[in-house]
Amino acid sequence: MTAAPATRHFLRDDDITPAEQREILDLAERLKTDRFQVRPLEGPQTVAVIFDKSSTRTRVSFAVGIADLGGQPLIISTASSQLGGKETPSDTARVLERMVSAIVWRTYGQAGLEEMAAGTTVPVINALSDDFHPCQLLADLLTIREHKGSLEGLTVAFIGDGADNMVHSYLLAGATAGMHVRVGCPAEYSPKDAVIADADRIAAETGGSITIFTDPLETVAGADVVVTDTWVSMGKEEEKAARVATLARYRVDDEMMSLAKPDAIFLHCLPADRGYEVTAEVIDGPQSVIWDESENRLHAQKALLVWLLERSTGGSGAGS
């Protein structure tokens, strides 16, 4: 008897290898040219999409993407469910796996995602946690590939809050792609040491590199891609005044962009606090590709779902 394939999950950016990352991005490019060519959720099968946090892009892109794949999204708010109250993530997962084909969760703590994935036989996808935002990074990498042709060897500069989940994902996903990832942040807002160590290990294998700066201008100099994110993430609103005071010199403006390569592109996962982490002139300017980036959430997440479902069921699938 052939053993059932192990269920694949996507909880962190380094849950996939460099070759697997390329497979998913290649598939995303194909799905973008024909949104309805692959229908693994025909039936329709249901995918549970759970939200602890408010959302625009994540909710819309997963709901539309699941429908494009022939399925039905089941949107669940934890405020109106037992998850996080009377029921543990593992118990919730064991209930859901009897009824759905995959679970997508936008949450706070990474530990809850890990517990849910350990307790289920269907793929679990991290749609955002306090530590990582891996689905966004697939969209960002897809966008960079579209505008730059390839990823390997490019220099990407992230400016702002270095302890941000986007930074952690850029470190891991960028290293996996063989990119040179720079982070410019105040010392008190540095990335987690454990994530830096993991990214350094990956970069040593792919030819990429990881560098942490405190000078934002030095970080951006000669970069191919400039990225920032909100200075005040959900749950940190009470820190806004202190964060704005500390991060003021990390605002991405025209002067900062002029230090990057002339053909550098600007990314922001949105929503943006215009006038804080980035000026309106940059976010609306000719180097900004944020609307492509936003759309690519749809295509990248569809590719991820197809890829995970194929490897968790053992089927060859249309996306192979």
Side-chain angles (χ1 to χ4, degrees):
M1 177 181 291
T2 303
T7 302
R8 294 292 299 269
H9 305 290
F10 191 55
L11 309 184
R12 298 170 37 127
D13 306 80
D14 54 352
D15 282 342
I16 53 177
T17 67
E20 290 171 341
Q21 185 189 73
R22 288 191 295 271
E23 287 177 11
I24 294 168
L25 294 175
D26 289 345
L27 177 55
E29 287 184 347
R30 298 204 302 274
L31 293 180
K32 189 170 183 176
T33 65
D34 182 356
R35 280 178 51 177
F36 309 106
Q37 64 178 282
V38 179
R39 307 272 289 177
L41 294 172
E42 203 80 77
Q45 299 176 49
T46 299
V47 175
V49 189
I50 307 170
F51 290 94
D52 292 357
K53 297 184 177 184
S54 60
S55 169
T56 297
R57 278 149 294 277
T58 298
R59 179 167 184 158
V60 173
S61 58
F62 268 111
V64 173
I66 291 162
D68 283 0
L69 297 176
Q72 173 176 286
L74 174 63
I75 307 298
I76 302 172
S77 167
T78 50
S80 57
S81 74
Q82 301 294 349
L83 179 60
K86 294 181 179 179
E87 194 161 66
T88 65
S90 57
D91 284 354
T92 297
R94 293 181 68 180
V95 171
L96 291 177
E97 72 180 4
R98 302 293 185 100
M99 309 179 201
V100 305
S101 297
I103 301 169
V104 179
W105 192 9
R106 179 179 173 93
T107 187
Y108 291 92
Q110 186 75 12
L113 281 157
E114 293 169 358
E115 180 183 340
M116 180 171 281
T120 186
T121 58
V122 299
V124 175
I125 295 173
N126 178 0
L128 176 142
S129 70
D130 289 344
D131 287 340
F132 303 102
H133 200 352
C135 289
Q136 181 67 56
L137 256 291
L138 289 177
D140 283 20
L141 295 180
L142 178 61
T143 306
I144 295 168
R145 281 212 328 188
E146 287 177 342
H147 287 271
K148 294 296 182 182
S150 64
L151 298 173
E152 190 173 4
L154 292 179
T155 296
V156 56
F158 189 103
I159 306 297
D161 179 3
D164 183 83
N165 52 11
M166 281 293 292
V167 172
H168 291 152
S169 279
Y170 256 103
L171 290 171
L172 296 179
T176 300
M179 302 174 79
H180 302 292
V181 182
R182 303 175 182 171
V183 177
C185 61
E188 60 266 45
Y189 291 129
S190 293
K192 290 185 177 181
D193 290 341
V195 177
I196 295 173
D198 288 340
D200 276 333
R201 175 183 50 77
I202 296 168
E205 300 172 356
T206 62
S209 64
I210 304 299
T211 313
I212 311 299
F213 297 87
T214 55
D215 182 347
L217 303 184
E218 185 180 4
T219 310
V220 170
D224 299 286
V225 182
V226 179
V227 189
T228 192
D229 190 13
T230 180
W231 293 342
V232 187
S233 298
M234 283 178 281
K236 298 179 180 178
E237 290 81 4
E238 73 283 355
E239 302 175 16
K240 182 172 183 176
R243 285 175 166 272
V244 169
T246 302
L247 290 161
R249 72 188 186 103
Y250 294 85
R251 178 178 295 112
V252 179
D253 56 16
D254 285 338
E255 179 183 358
M256 189 177 292
M257 286 297 299
S258 72
L259 300 176
K261 288 183 179 177
D263 63 347
I265 57 175
F266 172 78
L267 285 85
H268 190 307
C269 66
L270 302 178
D273 291 325
R274 291 165 176 260
Y276 286 90
E277 72 270 10
V278 60
T279 62
E281 290 75 17
V282 169
I283 204 167
D284 294 326
Q287 292 172 284
S288 174
V289 295
I290 62 169
W291 308 121
D292 293 342
E293 178 187 11
S294 182
E295 177 193 342
N296 281 338
R297 288 290 300 275
L298 171 66
H299 310 300
Q301 288 162 185
K302 285 172 62 179
L304 174 65
L305 271 166
V306 172
W307 191 89
L308 288 172
L309 289 167
E310 287 176 352
R311 278 144 190 83
S312 297
T313 61
S316 57
S320 298

